[in-house]
Structure formats: structure tokens, C-alpha cells
């Protein structure tokens, strides 16, 4: 296959080039016209004139088919990976959830069973450490050898996922030993639960109180605490879903000191804000995720963090629940609203909006959405780059096309969109996964189960 006439975008910038693919692999990136001069015979020629040619997006934070609050996130590996592909994402890394009293291996085996035969794009797993004990600490080493080289811990959700500081520090010592990355959900959950109880006792049960009871200070406090523990232990530390400028400031300071501390944010924190939680008729429930959406002025601070690389990855935290019935569980009490937003389909487009609005460059777009996620989670250069030897995961993106987002037309298995009615400039035109065209002409053809598990290495950013 030869993709010709487009602008190939990488973290170094955009340049006109043609991409030659043999089977599943990129074999050459050629100067325009060189393919003809070399008399390259291609079975298939794809015209990308006027389009961007991007490494496929890598979303390192999704929750497919995840049990939560008595229900399950509504995208499974079939619908979720298909929706991802529609949005220009060709790799996801999903979270295998350890059960309390269960083993990490059991969690990963369960996730393999969920994904195998269903995923249409490639996928890897992180493991959620929900029960840190002698056994699960030992299992961390075993999972690293299986290509599950990152472990999420929670400072939030007491009684569900929360790890106490003694557990966190043990997991960090282990990670410092085996090189795994600790991923942290940084919010002071015990303190937040007290604030939540006070609000509910005062009769404040509407969705907006989900936001009002989770102050930024208790995110920044947890980020600081985890950063200090990582310093003491030497563990590589990656903060998931950072939502506030104060949290980013803590990360920035640690990075300035040369530490292996990294930050991720999500499109919802860049484009939505706390006023969405106050929408009437219980619509605010559609916007309940954790950390909560913040005051609108935080958005500019997060964009700045992306530019300074204190935030180096943008992932979705895709965790969809239907408005009816799932979110209705919390009609009378926001505590019972399943936490999470749908978003896996829209990350590339939303970040492209960051480009058109002048928040980031084209090069930075590809860096935060593909190249850095691949390096951060040990998949580079198989994924995240268009270069000889890399998997031909390629997106042809039309920067001039427009689209209007709606739950009527999106491909996620959820009955609402947090971006309903938004007009995006830019649209995915063609998607190749390991050399196979799986999306073109508004038609998806990726076979069920063609996606492969990616056995990941350690982070490629450790010093
Ligand atoms: O609200 C969210 N983010 N749900 C998913 C679980 C998590 O904490 O990432
Ligand atoms: Zn989280
Ligand atoms: Zn009230
Ligand atoms: Zn998450």
C-alpha cells in the first residue's frame, strides 16, 4: 500500500511525504514523488492530498466493560474499540480491575477474556491494584513479565479502590524494584467522603454537589503526597486524569527537580467545566466523573501544562454509563451516580480543536495523542510513529471537513454525548490498523477480534 500526497505529522512537525506499507508494517517514508522515481509497485494507492497522515491515536486510559457501582460501563471491547477507530485511535490500554480478595493474575486473565475475539484494534492492559497485600505485591513482578507494566492505585474511593499510604508505599517500593510505572488516582478520598456526608446531611443531593464536594485542594494535596512517596521510594509515577492547575504545579515542581513524575489530563477537563454539572433536569448526571469537572478557568492552566510538557499525555478515561438507566441510579443522591464519561471516539478531534484554536501545534497534537503515550507505556516504536519497521497504524485526517457530534450518530454504545451538537472542524477519513484499512468512506470493516494484545515494555522515559 502506498499513501501519497499527504502531510505526515510527527512530533518533529508536518512534512509532505509518502508512506509505503508492506503487510502490517511501514517499510518506507519517502519524499514526495520518490515512489514513482523508484518505480514502487503498490497494489493499493491511497490519495491523501490535502490531508494529514498521522500515527494512529493511542488512548492509554479506557474502561471497557468495567464493573462500577452495581453496573458495568456500557462499551465492551467490541463497541469500544470500534468507536475508538472511528475517532482515529488505533491502540487502547485498558484497566484490568483486581477484585478485593482476588489476585492480579485473575484480573488480567478476566480482561484477556473480555478483549479476545472482540477488539478490532490492538490493546494492552494496566492493572488496577485494589487490594495491595503480600500476594499481589509479588504478582506485580509476574505481570511485568507478561507485558502489563503499569499499576493504578487509588487515593480516592475509600472501601472500594482506595489504598492507604502504607499500601501505596509498598507498591511503590515494588515498582522501584521492577521498573513498573505506578499510575495514581490522586484525590484525598477519606477527606472527600467527609465533605460528601456533610453535604448530603444538609439535603444537597443534586449532581452539582459531586463537584462542590471534591475540592481542587484535595487533588493537589494527594498529588503532593504521592510525589513525596515516589521520591522516597524511587518509583516512576504517572498521574492519571489531572484536572486542575494546582495539581499540575506540583507535578511541574517534581519534574523540574528531575524526577520520574508524569501527568495526564483528559479532553473533558480541557473542554467542559463545573457548570455542566449544574444542568437542570438531572442532566448534570451525564457529566459526573472523578475528579469532577472544574471551574472554567482551570482549562487554560491545563492547556499551558500541555505546552510545557508538565502534562505529557492526553487520554480519555472513557468510562461510559447510559443516562437511562445507569445514571438514574443517583436521581435522589449524587453518590449513587456511576462515575465516568464517554469519550474514546472524540479525543483526536477535540485535540485537533486545540490546534485550530492555537492552544497547541500540530506536532504537539501527535506527540500527546500518540508518540508520548507509546513511549510512556513501552510500545514505541512499534506504535506511536510512522517509521520503517513500525506497525502501519495510520490515520488519514481531513483538517477541513466538519462534523456535528450527536449521540444519534456516534459509535459509542451510550445514549448521550457530552459534546451533543458541537461542531468539530477536522475529521478522520481513513484508518489503517497493522496495514489493514478498517475504516474508509464512512464504513467500518475491522473484523471482530482482529485486534491483538500488546505485550508492553517498561516506560521508555525513565532516568
Ligand atoms: O469517573 C471516572 N473517572 N471513572 C473511571 C474510574 C477512574 O477513576 O478512572
Ligand atoms: Zn481514576
Ligand atoms: Zn441543595
Ligand atoms: Zn479511569
Amino acid at each position: 500500500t502506498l499513501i501519497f500526497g499527504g502531510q505526515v505529522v510527527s512530533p518533529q512537525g508536518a512534512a509532505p511525504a509518502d508512506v509505503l506499507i508492506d503487510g502490517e508494517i511501514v517499510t518506507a517514508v519517502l519524499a514526495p514523488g520518490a515512489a514513482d522515481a523508484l518505480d514502487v509497485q503498490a497494489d493499493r494507492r491511497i490519495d491523501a492530498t490535502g490531508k494529514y497522515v498521522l500515527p494512529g491515536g493511542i488512548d492509554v486510559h479506557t474502561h471497557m466493560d468495567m464493573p462500577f457501582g452495581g453496573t458495568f460501563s456500557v462499551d465492551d471491547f467490541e463497541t469500544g474499540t470500534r468507536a475508538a477507530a472511528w475517532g482515529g485511535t488505533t491502540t487502547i490500554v485498558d484497566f484490568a480491575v483486581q477484585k478485593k480478595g482476588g489476585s492480579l493474575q485473575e484480573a488480567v486473565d478476566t480482561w484477556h477474556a473480555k478483549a479476545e475475539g472482540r477488539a478490532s484494534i490492538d490493546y494492552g492492559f494496566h492493572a488496577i491494584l485494589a487490594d495491595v497485600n503480600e500476594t499481589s505485591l509479588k504478582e506485580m513482578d509476574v505481570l511485568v513479565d507478561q507485558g502489563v507494566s503499569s499499576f493504578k492505585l487509588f487515593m480516592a474511593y475509600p472501601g472500594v479502590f482506595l489504598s492507604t499510604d502504607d499500601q501505596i508505599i509498598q507498591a511503590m517500593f515494588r515498582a522501584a524494584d521492577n521498573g513498573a510505572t505506578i499510575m495514581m488516582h490522586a484525590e484525598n478520598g477519606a477527606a472527600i467522603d467527609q465533605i460528601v456526608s456533610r453535604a448530603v446531611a444538609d439535603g444537597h443531593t443534586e449532581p452539582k454537589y459531586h463537584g462542590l464536594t471534591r475540592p481542587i485542594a484535595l487533588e493537589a494535596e494527594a498529588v503532593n503526597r504521592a510525589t513525596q512517596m515516589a521520591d522516597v521510594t524511587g518509583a516512576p509515577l504517572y498521574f492519571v486524569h489531572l484536572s486542575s492547575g494546582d495539581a499540575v504545579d506540583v507535578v511541574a515542581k517534581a519534574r523540574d527537580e528531575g524526577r520520574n513524575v508524569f501527568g495526564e489530563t483528559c479532553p473533558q477537563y480541557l473542554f467542559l467545566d463545573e457548570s455542566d454539572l449544574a444542568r437542570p433536569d438531572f442532566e448534570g448526571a451525564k457529566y459526573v466523573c472523578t475528579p469532577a469537572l472544574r471551574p472554567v478557568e482551570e482549562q487554560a492552566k491545563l492547556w499551558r501544562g500541555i505546552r510545557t510538557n508538565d502534562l505529557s499525555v492526553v487520554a480519555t478515561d472513557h468510562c461510559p454509563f447510559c443516562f437511562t438507566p445507569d445514571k438514574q441510579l443517583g436521581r435522589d443522591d449524587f453518590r449513587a451516580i456511576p462515575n465516568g464519561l464517554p469519550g474514546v471516539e472524540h479525543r483526536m478531534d477535540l485535540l485537533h480543536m486545540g490546534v485550530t484554536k492555537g492552544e497547541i501545534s500540530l506536532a504537539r497534537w501527535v506527540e500527546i495523542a500518540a508518540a508520548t503515550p507509546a513511549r510512556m507505556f513501552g510500545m514505541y516504536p512499534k506504535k506511536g510513529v510512522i517509521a520503517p519497521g513500525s506497525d502501519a497504524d495510520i490515520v488519514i485526517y481531513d483538517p477541513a471537513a466538519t462534523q456535528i457530534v450527536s449521540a444519534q450518530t456516534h459509535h459509542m454504545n451510550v445514549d448521550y454525548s457530552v459534546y451533543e451538537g458541537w461542531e468539530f472542524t477536522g475529521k478522520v477519513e481513513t484508518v489503517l490498523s497493522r496495514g489493514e484499512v478498517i475504516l474508509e468512506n464512512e464504513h467500518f470493516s475491522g473484523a471482530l477480534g482482529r485486534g491483538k494484545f500488546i505485550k508492553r515494555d517498561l516506560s521508555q522515559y525513565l532516568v
Side-chain angles (χ1 to χ4, degrees), residues 358-396:
E359 296 285 2
I360 53 171
S361 66
L362 263 183
R364 187 68 179 146
W365 176 39
V366 164
E367 193 165 41
I368 59 179
T372 299
R375 286 196 159 107
M376 189 72 68
F377 293 103
M379 297 181 277
Y380 194 92
K382 178 179 168 65
K383 304 294 188 191
V385 61
I386 300 177
S390 297
D391 283 1
D393 287 2
I394 295 177
V395 170
I396 301 176

Short mmCIF file of all heavy atoms in Angstrom, two decimals, residues 358-396:
data_model
loop_
_atom_site.label_atom_id
_atom_site.label_comp_id
_atom_site.label_asym_id
_atom_site.label_seq_id
_atom_site.Cartn_x
_atom_site.Cartn_y
_atom_site.Cartn_z
N GLY A 358 -5.28 27.34 18.41
CA GLY A 358 -3.97 27.90 18.73
C GLY A 358 -3.43 27.51 20.10
O GLY A 358 -2.46 28.10 20.58
N GLU A 359 -4.03 26.51 20.74
CA GLU A 359 -3.52 26.08 22.06
C GLU A 359 -2.25 25.23 21.91
O GLU A 359 -1.36 25.29 22.76
CB GLU A 359 -4.58 25.27 22.80
CG GLU A 359 -5.85 26.05 23.16
CD GLU A 359 -5.64 27.00 24.33
OE1 GLU A 359 -4.51 27.09 24.85
OE2 GLU A 359 -6.61 27.66 24.72
N ILE A 360 -2.21 24.39 20.89
CA ILE A 360 -1.05 23.51 20.66
C ILE A 360 -0.73 23.46 19.17
O ILE A 360 -1.58 23.80 18.34
CB ILE A 360 -1.29 22.07 21.17
CG1 ILE A 360 -2.59 21.48 20.60
CG2 ILE A 360 -1.27 22.00 22.70
CD1 ILE A 360 -2.80 20.00 20.88
N SER A 361 0.47 23.01 18.87
CA SER A 361 0.87 22.85 17.46
C SER A 361 0.41 21.50 16.93
O SER A 361 0.06 20.60 17.71
CB SER A 361 2.39 22.95 17.35
OG SER A 361 2.97 21.85 18.02
N LEU A 362 0.47 21.36 15.62
CA LEU A 362 0.17 20.06 15.01
C LEU A 362 1.10 18.98 15.56
O LEU A 362 0.68 17.86 15.85
CB LEU A 362 0.43 20.15 13.50
CG LEU A 362 -0.70 20.42 12.54
CD1 LEU A 362 -0.14 20.38 11.11
CD2 LEU A 362 -1.81 19.39 12.71
N ALA A 363 2.37 19.35 15.68
CA ALA A 363 3.37 18.39 16.16
C ALA A 363 3.04 17.94 17.59
O ALA A 363 3.14 16.76 17.92
CB ALA A 363 4.76 19.03 16.11
N ARG A 364 2.63 18.90 18.41
CA ARG A 364 2.31 18.56 19.80
C ARG A 364 1.06 17.68 19.88
O ARG A 364 0.96 16.82 20.76
CB ARG A 364 2.13 19.86 20.60
CG ARG A 364 1.96 19.67 22.09
CD ARG A 364 3.22 19.15 22.76
NE ARG A 364 3.06 18.99 24.20
CZ ARG A 364 3.65 18.02 24.92
NH1 ARG A 364 4.47 17.17 24.34
NH2 ARG A 364 3.46 17.95 26.21
N TRP A 365 0.15 17.91 18.99
CA TRP A 365 -1.07 17.08 18.92
C TRP A 365 -0.69 15.60 18.80
O TRP A 365 -1.14 14.75 19.57
CB TRP A 365 -1.89 17.54 17.71
CG TRP A 365 -3.14 16.78 17.38
CD1 TRP A 365 -4.07 16.27 18.26
CD2 TRP A 365 -3.64 16.50 16.05
NE1 TRP A 365 -5.09 15.68 17.55
CE2 TRP A 365 -4.86 15.81 16.20
CE3 TRP A 365 -3.17 16.78 14.76
CZ2 TRP A 365 -5.61 15.38 15.10
CZ3 TRP A 365 -3.93 16.35 13.68
CH2 TRP A 365 -5.13 15.67 13.85
N VAL A 366 0.16 15.31 17.83
CA VAL A 366 0.56 13.93 17.59
C VAL A 366 1.41 13.41 18.75
O VAL A 366 1.35 12.24 19.13
CB VAL A 366 1.33 13.84 16.25
CG1 VAL A 366 2.10 12.55 16.14
CG2 VAL A 366 0.33 13.98 15.09
N GLU A 367 2.18 14.31 19.35
CA GLU A 367 3.03 13.89 20.46
C GLU A 367 2.21 13.45 21.67
O GLU A 367 2.43 12.38 22.23
CB GLU A 367 3.97 15.04 20.84
CG GLU A 367 5.10 14.63 21.76
CD GLU A 367 6.20 15.67 21.81
OE1 GLU A 367 5.90 16.88 21.86
OE2 GLU A 367 7.38 15.28 21.80
N ILE A 368 1.23 14.26 22.06
CA ILE A 368 0.46 13.94 23.28
C ILE A 368 -0.57 12.84 23.05
O ILE A 368 -1.01 12.19 24.00
CB ILE A 368 -0.27 15.18 23.86
CG1 ILE A 368 -1.22 15.79 22.83
CG2 ILE A 368 0.74 16.19 24.36
CD1 ILE A 368 -1.99 17.00 23.33
N ALA A 369 -0.94 12.63 21.78
CA ALA A 369 -2.00 11.66 21.48
C ALA A 369 -1.49 10.32 21.00
O ALA A 369 -2.23 9.34 21.00
CB ALA A 369 -2.96 12.25 20.44
N ALA A 370 -0.22 10.27 20.58
CA ALA A 370 0.30 9.01 20.03
C ALA A 370 1.74 8.71 20.46
O ALA A 370 2.01 7.67 21.05
CB ALA A 370 0.20 9.02 18.50
N ALA A 371 2.66 9.63 20.17
CA ALA A 371 4.08 9.30 20.37
C ALA A 371 4.42 9.13 21.86
O ALA A 371 5.02 8.12 22.26
CB ALA A 371 4.96 10.39 19.75
N THR A 372 4.05 10.11 22.68
CA THR A 372 4.38 10.01 24.10
C THR A 372 3.64 8.87 24.80
O THR A 372 4.26 8.13 25.57
CB THR A 372 4.15 11.36 24.81
OG1 THR A 372 5.00 12.33 24.20
CG2 THR A 372 4.47 11.26 26.29
N PRO A 373 2.34 8.69 24.55
CA PRO A 373 1.69 7.53 25.17
C PRO A 373 2.40 6.22 24.83
O PRO A 373 2.53 5.35 25.69
CB PRO A 373 0.27 7.55 24.58
CG PRO A 373 0.04 8.95 24.11
CD PRO A 373 1.39 9.55 23.82
N ALA A 374 2.87 6.09 23.59
CA ALA A 374 3.58 4.86 23.20
C ALA A 374 4.87 4.70 24.00
O ALA A 374 5.19 3.62 24.50
CB ALA A 374 3.88 4.87 21.70
N ARG A 375 5.60 5.79 24.14
CA ARG A 375 6.87 5.72 24.89
C ARG A 375 6.62 5.51 26.38
O ARG A 375 7.30 4.74 27.05
CB ARG A 375 7.65 7.02 24.72
CG ARG A 375 8.29 7.19 23.36
CD ARG A 375 9.33 8.31 23.45
NE ARG A 375 10.30 8.20 22.38
CZ ARG A 375 10.36 9.03 21.32
NH1 ARG A 375 9.49 10.01 21.20
NH2 ARG A 375 11.28 8.87 20.41
N MET A 376 5.63 6.23 26.88
CA MET A 376 5.35 6.19 28.33
C MET A 376 5.01 4.77 28.77
O MET A 376 5.34 4.36 29.88
CB MET A 376 4.16 7.12 28.62
CG MET A 376 3.87 7.36 30.08
SD MET A 376 5.09 8.42 30.88
CE MET A 376 4.79 10.01 30.11
N PHE A 377 4.34 4.04 27.88
CA PHE A 377 3.86 2.71 28.28
C PHE A 377 4.50 1.59 27.46
O PHE A 377 3.92 0.53 27.26
CB PHE A 377 2.33 2.69 28.27
CG PHE A 377 1.77 3.59 29.34
CD1 PHE A 377 1.24 4.83 29.03
CD2 PHE A 377 1.85 3.22 30.67
CE1 PHE A 377 0.78 5.68 30.03
CE2 PHE A 377 1.38 4.06 31.68
CZ PHE A 377 0.85 5.29 31.36
N GLY A 378 5.75 1.86 27.01
CA GLY A 378 6.57 0.78 26.48
C GLY A 378 6.07 0.14 25.19
O GLY A 378 6.17 -1.08 25.05
N MET A 379 5.61 0.94 24.26
CA MET A 379 5.13 0.38 22.99
C MET A 379 5.84 0.98 21.78
O MET A 379 5.50 0.68 20.64
CB MET A 379 3.62 0.65 22.84
CG MET A 379 2.77 -0.01 23.89
SD MET A 379 1.01 0.32 23.64
CE MET A 379 0.83 1.92 24.42
N TYR A 380 6.80 1.86 22.02
CA TYR A 380 7.48 2.58 20.96
C TYR A 380 8.73 1.82 20.52
O TYR A 380 9.40 1.26 21.37
CB TYR A 380 7.88 3.96 21.49
CG TYR A 380 8.30 4.98 20.48
CD1 TYR A 380 7.37 5.85 19.93
CD2 TYR A 380 9.62 5.09 20.09
CE1 TYR A 380 7.75 6.82 19.00
CE2 TYR A 380 10.01 6.05 19.16
CZ TYR A 380 9.07 6.91 18.63
OH TYR A 380 9.44 7.84 17.71
N PRO A 381 9.06 1.76 19.24
CA PRO A 381 8.43 2.38 18.08
C PRO A 381 7.46 1.46 17.32
O PRO A 381 7.11 1.77 16.19
CB PRO A 381 9.63 2.69 17.19
CG PRO A 381 10.57 1.54 17.46
CD PRO A 381 10.33 1.13 18.89
N LYS A 382 7.05 0.35 17.95
CA LYS A 382 6.01 -0.47 17.31
C LYS A 382 4.78 0.40 17.05
O LYS A 382 4.18 0.37 15.98
CB LYS A 382 5.66 -1.65 18.23
CG LYS A 382 4.57 -2.58 17.73
CD LYS A 382 4.36 -3.72 18.76
CE LYS A 382 3.11 -4.53 18.49
NZ LYS A 382 3.19 -5.26 17.19
N LYS A 383 4.42 1.18 18.07
CA LYS A 383 3.27 2.08 17.98
C LYS A 383 3.75 3.52 18.17
O LYS A 383 4.83 3.77 18.71
CB LYS A 383 2.26 1.75 19.09
CG LYS A 383 1.77 0.30 19.10
CD LYS A 383 0.95 -0.04 17.89
CE LYS A 383 0.29 -1.42 18.01
NZ LYS A 383 -0.29 -1.85 16.71
N GLY A 384 2.93 4.46 17.72
CA GLY A 384 3.17 5.88 18.03
C GLY A 384 4.00 6.64 17.03
O GLY A 384 4.25 7.83 17.23
N VAL A 385 4.41 5.99 15.95
CA VAL A 385 5.28 6.67 14.98
C VAL A 385 5.09 6.03 13.61
O VAL A 385 4.80 4.83 13.51
CB VAL A 385 6.76 6.61 15.44
CG1 VAL A 385 7.25 5.18 15.55
CG2 VAL A 385 7.66 7.43 14.52
N ILE A 386 5.22 6.84 12.58
CA ILE A 386 5.23 6.31 11.20
C ILE A 386 6.69 6.27 10.77
O ILE A 386 7.27 7.31 10.44
CB ILE A 386 4.40 7.19 10.25
CG1 ILE A 386 2.94 7.26 10.73
CG2 ILE A 386 4.46 6.64 8.82
CD1 ILE A 386 2.04 8.17 9.90
N ALA A 387 7.28 5.11 10.84
CA ALA A 387 8.70 4.96 10.51
C ALA A 387 8.93 3.53 10.05
O ALA A 387 8.17 2.63 10.42
CB ALA A 387 9.56 5.27 11.74
N PRO A 388 9.97 3.30 9.25
CA PRO A 388 10.25 1.94 8.80
C PRO A 388 10.34 0.98 9.97
O PRO A 388 11.05 1.25 10.94
CB PRO A 388 11.59 2.07 8.07
CG PRO A 388 11.65 3.50 7.64
CD PRO A 388 10.94 4.28 8.70
N GLY A 389 9.62 -0.13 9.88
CA GLY A 389 9.62 -1.13 10.95
C GLY A 389 8.47 -1.01 11.93
O GLY A 389 8.19 -1.95 12.67
N SER A 390 7.79 0.14 11.93
CA SER A 390 6.67 0.32 12.85
C SER A 390 5.41 -0.33 12.29
O SER A 390 5.26 -0.48 11.07
CB SER A 390 6.39 1.81 13.06
OG SER A 390 7.50 2.42 13.67
N ASP A 391 4.50 -0.68 13.19
CA ASP A 391 3.18 -1.15 12.75
C ASP A 391 2.53 -0.05 11.91
O ASP A 391 2.58 1.12 12.28
CB ASP A 391 2.28 -1.44 13.96
CG ASP A 391 2.62 -2.76 14.64
OD1 ASP A 391 3.56 -3.44 14.17
OD2 ASP A 391 1.94 -3.09 15.63
N ALA A 392 1.88 -0.46 10.83
CA ALA A 392 1.19 0.52 9.99
C ALA A 392 -0.19 0.84 10.57
O ALA A 392 -1.22 0.45 10.05
CB ALA A 392 1.09 0.01 8.56
N ASP A 393 -0.16 1.52 11.71
CA ASP A 393 -1.37 2.07 12.34
C ASP A 393 -1.41 3.53 11.93
O ASP A 393 -0.64 4.36 12.47
CB ASP A 393 -1.27 1.99 13.87
CG ASP A 393 -1.43 0.57 14.41
OD1 ASP A 393 -1.57 -0.37 13.61
OD2 ASP A 393 -1.42 0.42 15.64
N ILE A 394 -2.24 3.86 10.98
CA ILE A 394 -2.17 5.17 10.35
C ILE A 394 -3.57 5.75 10.18
O ILE A 394 -4.51 5.05 9.81
CB ILE A 394 -1.46 5.06 8.98
CG1 ILE A 394 0.00 4.63 9.21
CG2 ILE A 394 -1.54 6.37 8.19
CD1 ILE A 394 0.80 4.40 7.95
N VAL A 395 -3.66 7.05 10.45
CA VAL A 395 -4.93 7.76 10.29
C VAL A 395 -4.76 8.85 9.24
O VAL A 395 -3.80 9.63 9.30
CB VAL A 395 -5.36 8.40 11.64
CG1 VAL A 395 -6.54 9.34 11.44
CG2 VAL A 395 -5.70 7.30 12.65
N ILE A 396 -5.65 8.86 8.28
CA ILE A 396 -5.68 9.96 7.32
C ILE A 396 -6.77 10.91 7.78
O ILE A 396 -7.93 10.50 7.94
CB ILE A 396 -5.91 9.44 5.88
CG1 ILE A 396 -4.79 8.46 5.52
CG2 ILE A 396 -5.97 10.61 4.89
CD1 ILE A 396 -4.94 7.79 4.17
#
